[in-house]
Amino acid sequence: DGLSDEAIRAREKELHDSIRLQIADLPQVETAWAVDRTGHLLVGARNYPAGGLDLSDRDYFRALREPGPEIYISGLQSRFDNKPFFAVARRRVGSAGEFEGVVVVAVSPDFFRSFYAKLLPDDIDYAAGVFRSDGATLARYPEIVWRGSGPAPPGVLIRAAAQQPQSGVTMEPSAFDGIVKMIAYKRLDRYPIYVTIGRTRASILREAAGIMVSHLYFGVPATAGLVLLCLIALRGRNVIVLVQGL
């Protein structure tokens, strides 16, 4: 069984230091923390002491408190420094399977932007994104586009995935800037996550035989993005194991 809330509180400094050390060499991980059954912070990598910060209104806590999937992924904004990130949260359970809280690994969208900045030729003709299957934006290159108080939904992806849920390629105006793009997308097998790569139609027409190589061109970075997400999930689980004491 995992550590009890009381054990985590008693060993907070030890666990705080251990989590910080474990994620120090993982540039994709912003921070990690554990929350008790009432939604209050038990231990975190970023701040010590935890201070019992109330996180019960966070969507990952509300989702995992109810029966359902073991893991929930959400886009958030830090309450400490207002930095955007997305969180991979996992339910903590007691010996009888009862809800005991959540463990969260926060992934920095900046890491994805820098990854795709190195992978793609430019940010004028190319774009990339990581989205939840319900349309929530988790990360985007060159930047997240906002509409009012929240990220703009990926309308093209939502429509295309409704017809071909696992993967596909479509050509239509982008929901973010209105420019016609060829957009390739693929769903991550174990998670409700889509990775997208887009290239403007104009740049394809400028390139000789661009249409013929488009599938290969999009497939390489999309696959790389999926592998990256898998590594994050696996490494994030190691952090979760540390906090839960499994």
Side-chain angles (χ1 to χ4, degrees):
D1 295 340
L3 293 176
S4 67
D5 291 355
E6 293 72 22
I8 292 175
R9 291 190 183 99
R11 298 171 54 190
E12 182 184 354
K13 183 61 167 65
E14 173 194 345
L15 291 170
H16 163 77
D17 291 341
S18 296
I19 298 169
R20 286 190 64 183
L21 181 63
Q22 189 175 57
I23 68 176
D25 295 326
L26 301 176
Q28 68 270 44
V29 177
E30 186 77 18
T31 185
W33 65 94
V35 178
D36 69 16
R37 67 177 69 86
T38 66
H40 291 85
L41 184 64
L42 284 169
V43 61
R46 181 174 290 177
N47 54 311
Y48 175 83
L53 179 68
D54 188 357
L55 300 172
S56 60
D57 63 332
R58 290 296 204 180
D59 61 349
Y60 61 78
F61 181 81
R62 296 197 306 268
L64 292 176
R65 183 173 53 189
E66 304 300 326
E70 180 187 19
I71 291 176
Y72 183 83
I73 302 173
S74 64
L76 298 170
Q77 191 169 26
S78 171
R79 289 179 176 168
F80 293 103
D81 56 18
N82 293 320
K83 289 183 66 174
F85 61 89
F86 70 86
V88 181
R90 183 185 179 202
R91 183 184 292 109
R92 296 172 59 224
V93 296
S95 57
E98 72 276 18
F99 176 73
E100 290 289 346
V102 298
V103 179
V104 187
V105 175
V107 182
S108 171
D110 290 340
F111 179 79
F112 283 92
R113 283 193 289 271
S114 63
F115 171 79
Y116 282 112
K118 296 174 183 176
L119 183 68
L120 300 176
D122 61 69
D123 61 2
I124 298 174
D125 291 322
Y126 297 85
V130 183
F131 305 94
R132 207 167 59 194
S133 59
D134 63 359
T137 299
L138 301 178
R140 186 176 182 272
Y141 170 80
E143 61 184 3
I144 294 176
V145 177
W146 292 76
R147 298 282 188 271
S149 60
V156 173
L157 171 63
I158 293 172
R159 291 191 297 273
Q163 301 297 319
Q164 293 180 277
Q166 295 306 313
S167 64
V169 178
T170 184
M171 176 89 78
E172 58 181 292
S174 166
F176 301 111
D177 57 21
I179 297 174
V180 177
K181 292 185 176 76
M182 178 175 283
I183 301 171
Y185 65 91
K186 185 171 180 61
R187 178 169 176 148
L188 190 62
D189 288 340
R190 295 181 55 203
Y191 299 98
I193 299 293
Y194 283 95
V195 173
T196 68
I197 303 289
R199 183 181 181 184
T200 62
R201 180 173 62 182
S203 72
I204 294 174
L205 294 176
R206 288 196 302 268
E207 180 179 297
I211 296 295
M212 294 176 62
V213 302
S214 62
H215 287 276
L216 290 175
Y217 198 92
F218 288 133
V220 173
T223 301
L226 289 171
V227 170
L228 186 61
L229 280 173
C230 290
L231 290 174
I232 287 170
L234 289 172
R235 287 173 173 171
R237 190 176 180 88
N238 288 341
V239 176
I240 289 170
V241 168
L242 170 65
V243 176
Q244 288 194 277
L246 297 177

Short mmCIF file of all heavy atoms in Angstrom, two decimals, residues 120-128 140 142 170-174 177-184 197-207 210-211 214 217-218:
data_model
loop_
_atom_site.label_atom_id
_atom_site.label_comp_id
_atom_site.label_asym_id
_atom_site.label_seq_id
_atom_site.Cartn_x
_atom_site.Cartn_y
_atom_site.Cartn_z
N LEU A 120 10.99 21.63 -36.31
CA LEU A 120 10.34 22.18 -37.49
C LEU A 120 11.14 23.33 -38.09
O LEU A 120 11.82 24.07 -37.35
CB LEU A 120 8.93 22.65 -37.13
CG LEU A 120 7.99 21.56 -36.58
CD1 LEU A 120 6.66 22.16 -36.17
CD2 LEU A 120 7.79 20.46 -37.61
N PRO A 121 11.08 23.53 -39.42
CA PRO A 121 11.89 24.55 -40.08
C PRO A 121 11.61 25.99 -39.62
O PRO A 121 12.52 26.80 -39.54
CB PRO A 121 11.54 24.37 -41.56
CG PRO A 121 11.09 22.96 -41.68
CD PRO A 121 10.37 22.67 -40.39
N ASP A 122 10.33 26.33 -39.37
CA ASP A 122 10.01 27.69 -38.95
C ASP A 122 8.63 27.70 -38.31
O ASP A 122 7.91 26.70 -38.33
CB ASP A 122 10.05 28.66 -40.14
CG ASP A 122 9.04 28.30 -41.22
OD1 ASP A 122 7.83 28.44 -40.96
OD2 ASP A 122 9.44 27.87 -42.32
N ASP A 123 8.28 28.86 -37.71
CA ASP A 123 6.98 28.98 -37.04
C ASP A 123 5.98 29.79 -37.86
O ASP A 123 4.94 30.20 -37.35
CB ASP A 123 7.14 29.58 -35.65
CG ASP A 123 7.73 30.98 -35.69
OD1 ASP A 123 7.98 31.50 -36.80
OD2 ASP A 123 7.94 31.57 -34.61
N ILE A 124 6.32 30.02 -39.13
CA ILE A 124 5.40 30.73 -40.02
C ILE A 124 4.57 29.74 -40.83
O ILE A 124 3.34 29.87 -40.93
CB ILE A 124 6.18 31.68 -40.96
CG1 ILE A 124 6.91 32.75 -40.14
CG2 ILE A 124 5.23 32.32 -41.98
CD1 ILE A 124 7.80 33.64 -40.95
N ASP A 125 5.23 28.75 -41.40
CA ASP A 125 4.54 27.76 -42.23
C ASP A 125 4.19 26.49 -41.47
O ASP A 125 3.49 25.63 -42.01
CB ASP A 125 5.41 27.39 -43.43
CG ASP A 125 5.53 28.55 -44.43
OD1 ASP A 125 4.52 29.26 -44.62
OD2 ASP A 125 6.63 28.75 -44.97
N TYR A 126 4.69 26.34 -40.24
CA TYR A 126 4.47 25.11 -39.49
C TYR A 126 3.88 25.41 -38.12
O TYR A 126 4.13 26.46 -37.52
CB TYR A 126 5.78 24.35 -39.31
CG TYR A 126 6.40 23.89 -40.61
CD1 TYR A 126 7.23 24.75 -41.34
CD2 TYR A 126 6.16 22.62 -41.10
CE1 TYR A 126 7.79 24.34 -42.54
CE2 TYR A 126 6.72 22.21 -42.30
CZ TYR A 126 7.53 23.07 -43.01
OH TYR A 126 8.08 22.66 -44.20
N ALA A 127 3.11 24.46 -37.62
CA ALA A 127 2.55 24.55 -36.27
C ALA A 127 2.42 23.13 -35.71
O ALA A 127 2.35 22.16 -36.47
CB ALA A 127 1.19 25.24 -36.28
N ALA A 128 2.42 23.03 -34.40
CA ALA A 128 2.26 21.72 -33.76
C ALA A 128 1.49 21.92 -32.46
O ALA A 128 1.50 23.01 -31.88
CB ALA A 128 3.63 21.09 -33.47
N ARG A 140 1.17 24.09 -27.39
CA ARG A 140 1.13 24.41 -28.82
C ARG A 140 2.37 25.18 -29.22
O ARG A 140 2.89 25.99 -28.45
CB ARG A 140 -0.13 25.23 -29.17
CG ARG A 140 -0.30 25.45 -30.67
CD ARG A 140 -1.59 26.18 -31.01
NE ARG A 140 -1.73 26.33 -32.45
CZ ARG A 140 -1.23 27.36 -33.13
NH1 ARG A 140 -0.58 28.33 -32.49
NH2 ARG A 140 -1.37 27.42 -34.45
N PRO A 142 3.62 27.64 -32.53
CA PRO A 142 4.57 28.45 -31.76
C PRO A 142 4.05 28.99 -30.43
O PRO A 142 4.84 29.36 -29.59
CB PRO A 142 4.86 29.60 -32.74
CG PRO A 142 3.63 29.70 -33.58
CD PRO A 142 3.12 28.31 -33.73
N THR A 170 -5.95 16.26 -42.83
CA THR A 170 -7.01 17.08 -43.40
C THR A 170 -6.43 18.39 -43.89
O THR A 170 -5.35 18.82 -43.43
CB THR A 170 -8.12 17.34 -42.36
OG1 THR A 170 -9.19 18.07 -42.97
CG2 THR A 170 -7.59 18.12 -41.17
N MET A 171 -7.10 19.03 -44.82
CA MET A 171 -6.66 20.32 -45.36
C MET A 171 -7.82 21.31 -45.24
O MET A 171 -8.84 21.15 -45.91
CB MET A 171 -6.23 20.19 -46.82
CG MET A 171 -5.84 21.49 -47.49
SD MET A 171 -4.10 21.92 -47.33
CE MET A 171 -3.36 20.83 -48.55
N GLU A 172 -7.68 22.31 -44.37
CA GLU A 172 -8.70 23.33 -44.21
C GLU A 172 -8.15 24.48 -43.38
O GLU A 172 -7.05 24.38 -42.83
CB GLU A 172 -9.96 22.74 -43.56
CG GLU A 172 -9.77 22.10 -42.21
CD GLU A 172 -11.08 21.54 -41.68
OE1 GLU A 172 -11.98 22.35 -41.36
OE2 GLU A 172 -11.22 20.30 -41.61
N PRO A 173 -8.89 25.59 -43.30
CA PRO A 173 -8.40 26.74 -42.53
C PRO A 173 -8.20 26.39 -41.06
O PRO A 173 -9.05 25.75 -40.44
CB PRO A 173 -9.50 27.79 -42.72
CG PRO A 173 -10.18 27.40 -43.99
CD PRO A 173 -10.13 25.90 -44.02
N SER A 174 -7.09 26.83 -40.51
CA SER A 174 -6.79 26.59 -39.10
C SER A 174 -7.77 27.35 -38.21
O SER A 174 -8.16 28.49 -38.51
CB SER A 174 -5.36 27.04 -38.79
OG SER A 174 -5.14 27.13 -37.40
N ASP A 177 -5.57 30.64 -36.77
CA ASP A 177 -5.21 31.84 -37.54
C ASP A 177 -5.95 31.96 -38.87
O ASP A 177 -5.75 32.94 -39.59
CB ASP A 177 -3.70 31.88 -37.79
CG ASP A 177 -3.18 30.63 -38.50
OD1 ASP A 177 -3.97 29.93 -39.14
OD2 ASP A 177 -1.97 30.36 -38.38
N GLY A 178 -6.80 30.98 -39.20
CA GLY A 178 -7.58 31.06 -40.42
C GLY A 178 -6.82 30.70 -41.69
O GLY A 178 -7.39 30.69 -42.78
N ILE A 179 -5.53 30.39 -41.58
CA ILE A 179 -4.71 30.05 -42.75
C ILE A 179 -4.93 28.58 -43.11
O ILE A 179 -4.94 27.71 -42.22
CB ILE A 179 -3.22 30.31 -42.47
CG1 ILE A 179 -3.00 31.81 -42.20
CG2 ILE A 179 -2.36 29.85 -43.62
CD1 ILE A 179 -1.59 32.15 -41.75
N VAL A 180 -5.10 28.31 -44.40
CA VAL A 180 -5.33 26.92 -44.83
C VAL A 180 -4.06 26.11 -44.61
O VAL A 180 -2.97 26.48 -45.07
CB VAL A 180 -5.74 26.87 -46.31
CG1 VAL A 180 -5.89 25.41 -46.76
CG2 VAL A 180 -7.05 27.63 -46.52
N LYS A 181 -4.20 25.01 -43.90
CA LYS A 181 -3.07 24.15 -43.59
C LYS A 181 -3.43 22.69 -43.84
O LYS A 181 -4.61 22.31 -43.74
CB LYS A 181 -2.66 24.28 -42.12
CG LYS A 181 -2.05 25.61 -41.71
CD LYS A 181 -1.59 25.54 -40.25
CE LYS A 181 -0.88 26.82 -39.83
NZ LYS A 181 -1.85 27.90 -39.58
N MET A 182 -2.43 21.91 -44.17
CA MET A 182 -2.58 20.46 -44.12
C MET A 182 -2.21 20.05 -42.70
O MET A 182 -1.11 20.35 -42.22
CB MET A 182 -1.68 19.76 -45.14
CG MET A 182 -1.77 18.23 -45.08
SD MET A 182 -0.81 17.44 -46.40
CE MET A 182 -1.90 17.70 -47.80
N ILE A 183 -3.11 19.40 -42.02
CA ILE A 183 -2.92 19.06 -40.61
C ILE A 183 -3.00 17.55 -40.44
O ILE A 183 -3.99 16.92 -40.83
CB ILE A 183 -3.99 19.75 -39.73
CG1 ILE A 183 -3.90 21.27 -39.90
CG2 ILE A 183 -3.84 19.34 -38.27
CD1 ILE A 183 -5.04 22.02 -39.26
N ALA A 184 -1.94 16.99 -39.88
CA ALA A 184 -1.91 15.57 -39.55
C ALA A 184 -2.07 15.42 -38.05
O ALA A 184 -1.53 16.21 -37.28
CB ALA A 184 -0.59 14.95 -40.01
N ILE A 197 0.44 18.10 -36.24
CA ILE A 197 1.46 18.84 -36.98
C ILE A 197 0.76 19.48 -38.17
O ILE A 197 0.01 18.81 -38.88
CB ILE A 197 2.59 17.92 -37.50
CG1 ILE A 197 3.25 17.17 -36.36
CG2 ILE A 197 3.61 18.76 -38.27
CD1 ILE A 197 4.09 18.01 -35.44
N GLY A 198 0.98 20.78 -38.38
CA GLY A 198 0.35 21.46 -39.50
C GLY A 198 1.35 22.18 -40.37
O GLY A 198 2.38 22.68 -39.88
N ARG A 199 1.08 22.23 -41.67
CA ARG A 199 1.92 22.97 -42.61
C ARG A 199 1.01 23.74 -43.56
O ARG A 199 0.00 23.19 -44.04
CB ARG A 199 2.82 22.02 -43.39
CG ARG A 199 3.77 22.74 -44.33
CD ARG A 199 4.65 21.78 -45.10
NE ARG A 199 5.55 22.53 -45.97
CZ ARG A 199 6.39 21.96 -46.83
NH1 ARG A 199 6.44 20.64 -46.93
NH2 ARG A 199 7.18 22.70 -47.58
N THR A 200 1.33 24.98 -43.83
CA THR A 200 0.46 25.80 -44.68
C THR A 200 0.41 25.24 -46.11
O THR A 200 1.41 24.74 -46.64
CB THR A 200 0.95 27.26 -44.74
OG1 THR A 200 2.26 27.31 -45.31
CG2 THR A 200 0.98 27.88 -43.35
N ARG A 201 -0.78 25.37 -46.69
CA ARG A 201 -0.93 24.90 -48.08
C ARG A 201 -0.01 25.67 -49.01
O ARG A 201 0.57 25.11 -49.94
CB ARG A 201 -2.39 25.06 -48.53
CG ARG A 201 -2.63 24.61 -49.97
CD ARG A 201 -4.10 24.62 -50.33
NE ARG A 201 -4.67 25.96 -50.24
CZ ARG A 201 -5.95 26.25 -50.47
NH1 ARG A 201 -6.79 25.27 -50.77
NH2 ARG A 201 -6.40 27.49 -50.38
N ALA A 202 0.16 26.96 -48.76
CA ALA A 202 1.02 27.78 -49.62
C ALA A 202 2.45 27.26 -49.64
O ALA A 202 3.09 27.22 -50.69
CB ALA A 202 1.00 29.24 -49.13
N SER A 203 2.96 26.85 -48.49
CA SER A 203 4.35 26.36 -48.45
C SER A 203 4.47 25.01 -49.14
O SER A 203 5.51 24.71 -49.73
CB SER A 203 4.83 26.25 -47.00
OG SER A 203 4.20 25.18 -46.32
N ILE A 204 3.40 24.21 -49.09
CA ILE A 204 3.42 22.92 -49.79
C ILE A 204 3.44 23.15 -51.30
O ILE A 204 4.18 22.50 -52.03
CB ILE A 204 2.21 22.07 -49.39
CG1 ILE A 204 2.31 21.67 -47.91
CG2 ILE A 204 2.10 20.82 -50.26
CD1 ILE A 204 1.09 20.96 -47.39
N LEU A 205 2.63 24.11 -51.76
CA LEU A 205 2.58 24.39 -53.19
C LEU A 205 3.90 24.96 -53.70
O LEU A 205 4.27 24.77 -54.87
CB LEU A 205 1.43 25.36 -53.49
CG LEU A 205 0.03 24.80 -53.23
CD1 LEU A 205 -1.02 25.88 -53.46
CD2 LEU A 205 -0.24 23.59 -54.10
N ARG A 206 4.61 25.68 -52.83
CA ARG A 206 5.90 26.25 -53.23
C ARG A 206 6.98 25.18 -53.37
O ARG A 206 7.97 25.36 -54.07
CB ARG A 206 6.37 27.29 -52.20
CG ARG A 206 5.59 28.58 -52.21
CD ARG A 206 6.36 29.66 -51.47
NE ARG A 206 6.66 29.30 -50.09
CZ ARG A 206 5.88 29.60 -49.06
NH1 ARG A 206 4.74 30.27 -49.25
NH2 ARG A 206 6.23 29.25 -47.83
N GLU A 207 6.81 24.07 -52.68
CA GLU A 207 7.82 23.03 -52.67
C GLU A 207 7.53 21.98 -53.72
O GLU A 207 6.44 21.40 -53.76
CB GLU A 207 7.91 22.38 -51.29
CG GLU A 207 8.95 21.29 -51.18
CD GLU A 207 8.99 20.71 -49.77
OE1 GLU A 207 9.29 21.47 -48.83
OE2 GLU A 207 8.66 19.53 -49.62
N GLY A 210 5.75 18.54 -53.03
CA GLY A 210 5.43 18.63 -51.60
C GLY A 210 4.28 17.73 -51.19
O GLY A 210 4.31 17.12 -50.12
N ILE A 211 3.26 17.65 -52.04
CA ILE A 211 2.10 16.82 -51.71
C ILE A 211 2.51 15.36 -51.58
O ILE A 211 2.06 14.64 -50.69
CB ILE A 211 1.01 16.96 -52.78
CG1 ILE A 211 0.47 18.39 -52.81
CG2 ILE A 211 -0.12 15.98 -52.52
CD1 ILE A 211 -0.25 18.81 -51.54
N SER A 214 4.22 14.67 -48.21
CA SER A 214 3.62 15.29 -47.03
C SER A 214 3.39 14.28 -45.91
O SER A 214 3.63 14.60 -44.74
CB SER A 214 2.30 15.98 -47.40
OG SER A 214 1.37 15.04 -47.89
N TYR A 217 6.62 13.58 -44.25
CA TYR A 217 7.13 14.78 -43.59
C TYR A 217 6.40 15.01 -42.27
O TYR A 217 7.00 15.36 -41.26
CB TYR A 217 6.93 15.99 -44.51
CG TYR A 217 7.79 17.16 -44.13
CD1 TYR A 217 9.06 17.34 -44.68
CD2 TYR A 217 7.35 18.09 -43.20
CE1 TYR A 217 9.86 18.41 -44.33
CE2 TYR A 217 8.14 19.17 -42.83
CZ TYR A 217 9.38 19.33 -43.41
OH TYR A 217 10.16 20.38 -43.05
N PHE A 218 5.09 14.81 -42.30
CA PHE A 218 4.32 15.00 -41.07
C PHE A 218 4.53 13.82 -40.11
O PHE A 218 4.53 14.00 -38.91
CB PHE A 218 2.83 15.12 -41.39
CG PHE A 218 2.45 16.41 -42.05
CD1 PHE A 218 1.64 16.41 -43.17
CD2 PHE A 218 2.89 17.63 -41.56
CE1 PHE A 218 1.28 17.59 -43.79
CE2 PHE A 218 2.53 18.81 -42.17
CZ PHE A 218 1.73 18.80 -43.29
#
